[in-house]
Amino acid sequence: MVAIMKTKPAYGAELVEVDIPKPGAGEVLIKVLATSICGTDLHIYEWNEWAQTRIKPPQIMGHEVAGEVVEVGPGVEGIEVGDYVSVETHIVCGKCYACRHNRYHVCQNTKIFGVDTNGVFAEYAVVPAQNVWKNPKSIPPEYATLQEPLGNAVDTVLAGPIAGKSVLITGAGPLGLLGIAVAKASGAYPVIVSEPSEFRRELAKKVGADYVLNPFEEDVVREVMNITDGNGVDVFLEFSGAPKALEQGLQAVTPGGRVSLLGLFPGNVSIDFNNLIIFKALTVYGITGRHLWETWYTVSKLLQSGRLNIDPIITHKYKGFDKYEEAFELMRAGKTGKIVFMLK
Ligand code: NAD
Ligand code: ZN
């Protein structure tokens, strides 16, 4: 089979021919129907500092997937050949303090599928059965593969009430765009998006943003105050990882409002805690991974509802992996929403 493999500890990856793997005990083999690129895959491709300490080449890349089960390993129950599935990337232990409090998303022994194991940028992939999520046939593979990042967006947007709430979303990368779609489908209004890239501001509008702002040219806080009659937004959702966006969002959110932070900052961040969080009595959520498995149920039902406007987010669909280098370079240049490889 063909696979995109990180063959060497250096920039890039290679398209290689390898044997179809065999599922061991507690594993299933899936035929990949669609798989999408995540920012993490780009970090592995670019071989950044994080990747250098975490990834052990040679390894097949990729973790976002929709596929069909073609073989079931020994001891696997409840999954059958022919099942149409996606995969939760966090492989949790089920035994640690967090897991035993049903906080699987912060398992202290989390391994990441496609980061600590071979992944799904391949025609077939072995998957731990405990991480398999069954899809209804009504969700097409190019949507089903997006459920893992959609889960991040759902946990960020739906950490508190959202219907009828005014929202500021900072960062309209793939995750922020999914966040806009979830906020709109959930009845938020107005949805204000701050994003420096014109390409992504246009995407944000297509997904349903009511207002888009360029934080490098406009005064985000003043604009938000104008739009919200001077009150500030009810909800601030941070999807950029930019320290400046965090500060602006905290200034733009209304006293007593809600904040969800998903973006990862490049290092320590300095903010005026007293005036921007404590005296404003904000509720601040750190968001990581997905709640197992509540978030997957929510994501699946949102997709089935037909109310998630995610077509504009899938900016590139490739048939097969042949053009993987072009795909990664486009993503590096920020000229993409989600990129999906179709293998059907
Ligand atoms: P991305 O880098 O593609 O998107 C970030 C966007 O923020 C870009 O479009 C960029 O132009 C924009 N931006 C930069 N500076 C800005 C500013 N000052 N104000 C507003 N926007 C600004 O990343 P992504 O794949 O969409 O992921 C979003 C963030 O979520 C990243 O920081 C990523 O590391 C993080 N992440 C966190 C988790 C988690 O579990 N917490 C999971 C996945 C990704
Ligand atoms: Zn655990």
Side-chain angles (χ1 to χ4, degrees):
M1 67 169 189
V2 166
I4 303 176
M5 188 178 267
K6 187 80 193 171
T7 48
K8 295 189 277 280
Y11 186 91
E14 284 181 76
L15 200 58
V16 294
E17 186 74 38
V18 291
D19 290 340
I20 296 175
K22 281 293 280 179
E27 294 176 335
V28 301
L29 180 71
I30 63 169
K31 180 175 168 30
V32 175
L33 300 174
T35 173
S36 34
I37 308 182
C38 166
T40 303
D41 301 315
L42 184 61
H43 294 326
I44 296 171
Y45 191 86
E46 291 176 323
W47 202 238
N48 75 357
E49 249 174 73
W50 166 84
Q52 290 174 30
T53 59
R54 184 76 179 250
I55 306 296
K56 313 235 173 323
Q59 186 172 302
I60 297 170
M61 297 172 61
H63 57 263
E64 299 175 6
V65 71
E68 187 183 319
V69 176
V70 290
E71 197 179 334
V72 173
V76 173
E77 283 172 22
I79 303 173
E80 278 157 33
V81 170
D83 281 350
Y84 172 41
V85 301
S86 287
V87 178
E88 163 56 45
T89 34
H90 286 196
I91 305 170
V92 300
C93 77
K95 297 181 184 125
C96 70
Y97 188 79
C99 284
R100 295 185 80 177
H101 284 81
N102 299 322
R103 298 194 290 257
Y104 299 100
H105 59 302
V106 284
C107 167
Q108 290 147 310
N109 303 308
T110 303
K111 282 201 289 172
I112 304 185
F113 179 69
V115 167
D116 302 315
T117 70
N118 274 322
V120 295
F121 287 171
E123 289 173 285
Y124 295 86
V126 162
V127 177
Q130 75 177 54
N131 282 50
V132 165
W133 170 260
K134 287 193 204 175
N135 294 316
K137 296 266 191 254
S138 62
I139 302 178
E142 60 267 42
Y143 288 3
T145 182
L146 301 183
Q147 288 176 107
E148 195 257 15
L150 252 173
N152 293 132
V154 157
D155 276 6
T156 309
V157 176
L158 302 181
I162 198 78
K165 303 292 179 193
S166 53
V167 175
L168 171 66
I169 288 181
T170 50
L175 281 166
L177 290 165
L178 292 168
I180 297 167
V182 173
K184 289 299 288 186
S186 308
Y189 183 83
V191 174
I192 308 165
V193 175
S194 171
E195 163 62 56
S197 150
E198 189 186 352
F199 175 81
R200 287 182 163 172
R201 283 199 306 277
E202 288 306 312
L203 281 180
K205 278 194 237 166
K206 285 189 194 153
V207 180
D210 299 296
Y211 299 88
V212 293
L213 305 171
N214 179 347
F216 294 174
E217 285 176 6
E218 289 168 284
D219 183 334
V220 171
V221 181
R222 195 171 62 207
E223 294 301 324
V224 168
M225 289 304 167
N226 285 342
I227 294 165
T228 56
D229 298 330
N231 293 316
V233 283
D234 300 310
V235 179
F236 162 43
L237 308 172
E238 208 310 291
F239 283 94
S240 76
K244 189 77 195 154
L246 173 67
E247 187 173 26
Q248 288 171 337
L250 292 173
Q251 286 168 339
V253 69
T254 202
R258 191 251 296 186
V259 177
S260 288
L261 306 176
L262 181 86
L264 298 174
F265 300 100
N268 290 353
V269 177
S270 167
I271 50 162
D272 178 356
F273 252 77
N274 296 355
N275 288 307
L276 291 182
I277 295 183
I278 299 168
F279 293 138
K280 286 184 81 168
L282 298 182
T283 302
V284 180
Y285 294 91
I287 309 292
T288 186
R290 291 146 297 281
H291 286 85
L292 302 182
W293 287 82
E294 302 94 305
T295 303
W296 281 83
Y297 283 101
T298 307
V299 166
S300 181
K301 281 182 271 190
L302 275 170
L303 282 171
Q304 290 172 64
S305 76
R307 293 179 61 172
L308 271 188
N309 179 21
I310 54 176
D311 260 337
I313 301 172
I314 305 173
T315 51
H316 297 76
K317 257 194 229 177
Y318 289 97
K319 200 153 175 47
F321 294 124
D322 290 348
K323 292 198 171 163
Y324 75 100
E325 284 171 306
E326 175 184 299
F328 277 105
E329 293 307 328
L330 277 170
M331 198 168 160
R332 282 193 84 199
K335 290 273 189 281
T336 58
K338 286 301 284 190
I339 299 176
V340 180
F341 298 108
M342 300 296 298
L343 283 103
K344 257 205 316 190

